Amino acid sequence: MLFHSKIMKNDLQMLFNITSEKSYNITFPIVSEQYIHHFIRGYFDGDGHVNYRGYTVSFVGGSRKYMETLLTTLNQHRFDPYMTENGKHYRVFITGRKSIKQFADWIYHDKSLYLKRKYEAFAQETFTADKLHDRKRNRNRK
């Protein structure tokens, strides 16, 4: 978004602690447990990707702190994610047929707003999570 008013720009930066480099130093907000799946769904819709055939879900971000907190949050919900670094960007991955089914069930539980094309990618799975399993992942990844 571009602002042509220096006063408005300065006010927004001061009120909301917005900087021009926010993508690289933003922190994960404090979100109530009852809403965290909605927040994750929104972030996934914006900066996430699902490769259904490869049984992979990924998120991308520029802030190490933000992505580490996302990783921790997904770990707390037992998705067994891992993170990689590529220059200035970080990626958090969830892999496995069962894991991505459980992830989809979690983020789309009591959904209201969501990106239809991403929801439909998950809808390709015809089995329930209890009928699925994940392959063992190579733990030697970075």
Side-chain angles (χ1 to χ4, degrees):
M1 184 180 294
L2 296 174
F3 288 100
H4 297 285
S5 166
K6 285 185 180 185
I7 294 170
M8 183 183 273
K9 175 188 162 203
N10 291 337
D11 286 348
L12 287 170
Q13 286 179 324
M14 195 114 108
L15 285 170
F16 299 107
N17 198 25
I18 297 172
T19 67
S20 60
E21 297 289 320
K22 73 171 178 44
S23 294
Y24 301 108
N25 58 29
I26 194 168
T27 57
F28 201 89
I30 297 169
V31 179
S32 170
E33 182 58 36
Q34 72 186 76
Y35 301 116
I36 193 69
H37 68 288
H38 295 297
F39 180 81
I40 300 288
R41 183 179 65 245
Y43 186 64
F44 175 75
D45 279 352
D47 288 324
H49 174 74
V50 58
N51 176 343
Y52 181 76
R53 290 180 184 216
Y55 303 123
T56 304
V57 166
S58 64
F59 297 83
V60 66
S63 167
R64 180 181 200 80
K65 280 186 176 187
Y66 186 97
M67 297 305 282
E68 285 175 343
T69 306
L70 174 63
L71 183 77
T72 300
T73 302
L74 293 172
N75 252 322
Q76 290 169 344
H77 288 87
R78 304 186 188 276
F79 294 114
D80 195 26
Y82 65 93
M83 187 167 82
T84 63
E85 180 180 352
N86 183 7
K88 290 186 175 183
H89 294 91
Y90 302 89
R91 290 193 184 275
V92 171
F93 293 91
I94 299 170
T95 60
R97 190 172 179 184
K98 180 175 185 163
S99 291
I100 66 169
K101 172 63 173 158
Q102 290 172 323
F103 173 75
D105 291 348
W106 179 62
I107 65 169
Y108 293 113
H109 173 72
D110 70 349
K111 66 190 177 306
S112 52
L113 296 174
Y114 60 96
L115 199 57
K116 185 179 176 182
R117 68 179 170 82
K118 290 189 179 181
Y119 175 76
E120 288 175 349
F122 288 110
Q124 295 177 51
E125 181 57 69
T126 57
F127 292 104
T128 59
D130 62 329
K131 302 270 192 236
L132 300 171
H133 67 278
D134 292 338
R135 293 183 181 166
K136 289 205 180 244
R137 188 175 77 220
N138 182 354
R139 295 280 180 181
N140 294 328
R141 290 194 162 178
K142 289 183 179 179

